[in-house]
Amino acid sequence: MTPQRVLLVIPPLTQLNTPYPSITYLTGFLQSRGIQAEQADLGIEMVLRLFSTGGLQSIFKQLHNSTSVLPKEAVQMIKAEHRYMEMIEPVITFLQGRSPDLAGRFMQPGVLPQGPRFRGRRTFPRSVSVTDRAKQWATFFLEDLTDLVQATITPHFGLSRYAEHIGRSASSFDQIAAALTEPKSLIDEWLLDVFWNHFHRVQPTLVGLSIPFP
């Protein structure tokens, strides 16, 4: 008899700062029963693919080739695309805690490109450390890019509750069915690529979604 192989996945996007515990508990429980179980967080992997030099290159390339009228905020960010691609890897490593020495650099004028998320922000109180200030600015940096993707690539994208509005506002299944027939965005393609990479690696007999409750 072929042993069961189970792949448990967290769909996007649940919690990027800390692992959502359900999938770890379920994987551990199944393994304790002799079932070959593995886990994957599709949200984190897809976001890390987006927030990389290669990911941003793909985003900006698609915007350059777009025939649609882009929002003025998007046009301003396109003008600074080389700075976004230059800083994306340092920002991610800093927020992951792997390069804490970058805090001072990020707070220097002109180092991080500042889009709409930076506007109207109050100055920091003296009690706020340089590290905490840099974390907030790095977060604004990523939120600007998130808004860019949401406004130009796919309206479903967000760093939490991905495409939730489709199901929450639907009075019937028609709206969900219509969304499923839409052409795949670049983000959709990356998400599916991440999933199938895990699927072909594990070759499970069962795939389960660990969906968190609100």
Side-chain angles (χ1 to χ4, degrees):
M1 181 177 179
T2 304
Q4 280 190 312
R5 296 179 63 87
V6 177
L7 173 63
L8 296 174
V9 298
I10 290 279
L13 281 130
T14 304
Q15 175 58 267
L16 297 178
N17 292 327
T18 56
Y20 199 81
S22 62
I23 194 171
T24 302
Y25 291 142
L26 288 170
T27 302
F29 173 79
L30 292 173
Q31 290 175 344
S32 71
R33 296 298 187 272
I35 297 174
Q36 300 180 40
E38 295 196 34
Q39 57 183 318
D41 190 324
L42 303 186
I44 289 178
E45 293 186 45
M46 185 264 285
V47 165
L48 288 177
R49 183 167 180 175
L50 166 62
F51 292 145
S52 67
T53 303
L56 292 190
Q57 282 179 330
S58 297
I59 294 295
F60 284 116
K61 180 179 179 180
Q62 184 163 327
L63 296 184
H64 282 299
N65 295 332
S66 175
T67 57
S68 302
V69 177
L70 300 175
K72 63 178 182 179
E73 292 85 359
V75 174
Q76 292 300 317
M77 292 181 70
I78 290 174
K79 292 179 180 178
E81 66 175 281
H82 69 283
R83 294 172 59 202
Y84 282 102
M85 289 191 290
E86 178 185 2
M87 297 308 301
I88 187 62
E89 303 283 357
V91 164
I92 292 298
T93 58
F94 171 72
L95 289 176
Q96 289 176 331
R98 295 188 285 127
S99 300
D101 55 307
L102 290 174
R105 181 187 175 196
F106 290 163
M107 297 308 299
Q108 295 175 4
V111 172
L112 290 180
Q114 297 189 6
R117 290 280 184 163
F118 286 85
R119 295 173 189 164
R121 300 294 179 177
R122 297 180 179 179
T123 57
F124 292 99
R126 292 183 179 180
S127 58
V128 179
S129 68
V130 172
T131 297
D132 286 341
R133 298 180 191 192
K135 285 180 179 179
Q136 188 173 76
W137 276 27
T139 300
F140 293 159
F141 174 89
L142 296 184
E143 288 176 342
D144 275 331
L145 290 169
T146 299
D147 293 342
L148 177 68
V149 171
Q150 188 177 75
T152 61
I153 304 298
T154 171
H156 304 320
F157 184 69
L159 294 183
S160 63
R161 302 181 183 277
Y162 182 82
E164 183 189 41
H165 65 280
I166 296 176
R168 175 161 289 187
S169 61
S171 57
S172 69
F173 191 75
D174 293 344
Q175 185 173 344
I176 299 174
L180 291 173
T181 61
E182 292 177 357
K184 294 183 180 64
S185 70
L186 183 60
I187 302 298
D188 295 328
E189 292 175 357
W190 286 346
L191 180 61
L192 289 171
D193 187 46
V194 169
F195 171 76
W196 286 115
N197 283 342
H198 283 290
F199 185 91
H200 293 308
R201 175 180 58 82
V202 176
Q203 297 184 339
T205 55
L206 177 66
V207 177
L209 295 177
S210 181
I211 302 176
F213 291 97

